[in-house]
Amino acid sequence: MKVLIVGGGNTLYFLCRAFTAKGHDVIVVNRDKAECERLARGLAATVVFGDGSDPKILREAGAMGADVVLAITPHDQDNLVICQLARLQHGVPRALALANDPENAEVFQKLGVAAFSTAAIIASLIEQRASVDRITNLLPVAEGRVNVTEILLDASSPVVGRLLKDISLPESALVAVVIRGEQTLIPRGNSELQAGDRVVLMTLPENHGPVLRVLTGEQG
Amino acid sequence: MKNKDANLVIVGCGRLGSYLANRLSREGYSVVVIDRSSQTFDNLTPAFSGFKVEGDATQISVLNAAKLKAAEVLIATTHDDNVNLWVAQVARTIFGVARVLARVFDPRREQIYAELGIQTICPTSVAAELFIQAVLGDGNAKGPVI
């Protein structure tokens, strides 16, 4: 695969190393001469000095034959133009832009350019992992209108040892599956929850928090 | 454009942006001018009766503050081609502005944005055309500038 990356800094350097290590052809376009020299010494990639949003530079860099173009400069407007030129002028099948401002990810989408936001990805990873270790957000369904969440019940949970029908869950919430060791149970009202159970919950966003508090006993 | 109630948003208040803002405000249009640096607002004459918004026009919140949704025309005049192309496309696609114009210095970028429905004005092409007209006389200058 031939990958053309426009940008600089550590992200570009380590991305290039990852791609070349897997045997891909990598071309780097960077507008800083000193950084170009450093990159050319340290990477098994072709390094082109110039403005990647300049149609002439893109052509010289060989955008025409690239399979993927990645635009990861610190300026969203440059990333947009790079991807549009690559797609429309050079017929590159896939172009992906970095949205430095997470709010711009949506703008890229509406303008027909695929984009990702590292800030948004990291924030959501931290939210999922750091808030409560025992809770994993499995997936949002229907654009986030339904949450599917997995919770590990430990001995301190107030619902351990109780029957499902005796636990007063807020409305619009469902204990869908209980995973107990090797067993997978579809629970009924007279199923008892035990410590170590992994409970798969379906909730609506408005009562997601209250349902979690009932099952973990934590105030949050 | 005949409708003097029309709202215009001008991005960039440098030499070109401030000239357009002063002129169109004097003509009676309702003008909002956006620039990253409030110092550039010194280029506006005391007769300028429009609004000034300080901020980066590549941010949606700044365009909202400039009431772009109510605008009929957007003119992007900053010194950065890519900023102008970004703002022009956002104005057209997200804010539904009817008429969008962008200054683009690099003539090689013009064609592709014409395809995307963005009207661009390239100072180099315009100046070259005028020079050719001046040198060759009016009759011979209709062809495209190479």
Side-chain angles (χ1 to χ4, degrees), chain A residues 4 6 27 29 48 51-65 69 81-87 89-90 92:
Chain A
L4 191 151
V6 185
I27 306 160
V29 179
V48 176
D51 174 0
S53 69
D54 180 336
K56 186 165 143 254
I57 296 290
L58 275 184
R59 193 172 58 243
E60 282 173 11
M64 201 71 94
V69 166
V81 171
I82 291 160
C83 287
Q84 289 182 324
L85 289 172
R87 290 280 305 280
Q89 214 164 48
H90 298 284
V92 177

Side-chain angles (χ1 to χ4, degrees), chain A residues 51 53-56 59 76-78 80-81 84-85 88-89 101 103-104 106-108 110-111, chain B residues 56 58-61 80-86 89-90 93-94 106 108-109 111-113 115-116:
Chain A
D51 174 0
S53 69
D54 180 336
K56 186 165 143 254
R59 193 172 58 243
D76 288 348
Q77 66 271 16
D78 296 352
L80 175 76
V81 171
Q84 289 182 324
L85 289 172
L88 300 171
Q89 214 164 48
D101 176 349
E103 284 185 14
N104 282 343
E106 202 185 328
V107 175
F108 278 101
K110 286 183 178 160
L111 299 180
Chain B
D56 181 344
T58 61
Q59 292 173 2
I60 296 283
S61 57
D80 185 328
D81 279 1
N82 295 347
V83 168
N84 294 342
L85 291 169
W86 169 282
Q89 292 184 73
V90 168
T93 308
I94 296 175
D106 185 348
R108 287 174 301 218
R109 288 189 183 129
Q111 189 199 342
I112 197 157
Y113 287 99
E115 287 168 22
L116 289 170

Side-chain angles (χ1 to χ4, degrees), chain A residues 181-217:
Chain A
E182 296 298 307
Q183 277 182 297
T184 307
L185 313 165
I186 307 290
R188 300 265 181 188
N190 58 0
S191 304
E192 188 192 299
L193 295 175
Q194 299 178 2
D197 283 354
R198 308 183 76 85
V199 173
V200 178
L201 271 179
M202 301 186 73
T203 55
L204 301 185
E206 56 269 26
N207 55 30
H208 184 66
V211 173
L212 293 186
R213 282 195 286 279
V214 168
L215 292 180
T216 61

Side-chain angles (χ1 to χ4, degrees), chain A residues 135 147 149 151 158-159 167-175 201-220:
Chain A
I135 299 172
N147 295 314
T149 313
I151 301 177
V159 296
I167 300 166
S168 63
L169 282 177
E171 271 184 42
S172 320
L174 177 70
V175 176
L201 271 179
M202 301 186 73
T203 55
L204 301 185
E206 56 269 26
N207 55 30
H208 184 66
V211 173
L212 293 186
R213 282 195 286 279
V214 168
L215 292 180
T216 61
E218 282 167 18
Q219 303 300 314

Side-chain angles (χ1 to χ4, degrees), chain B residues 2-60:
Chain B
K2 298 280 185 283
N3 176 13
K4 294 258 167 139
D5 296 329
N7 295 303
L8 283 85
V9 172
I10 296 173
V11 180
C13 193
R15 279 194 298 266
L16 177 63
S18 63
Y19 183 93
L20 291 170
N22 286 327
R23 176 77 181 273
L24 291 165
S25 173
R26 204 168 63 225
E27 298 272 338
Y29 293 102
S30 163
V31 177
V32 180
V33 58
I34 305 174
D35 202 291
R36 266 195 313 202
S37 149
S38 62
Q39 278 180 354
T40 61
F41 297 144
D42 295 346
N43 294 327
L44 298 168
T45 60
F48 175 77
S49 62
F51 293 95
K52 297 168 261 190
V53 174
E54 183 185 354
D56 181 344
T58 61
Q59 292 173 2
I60 296 283

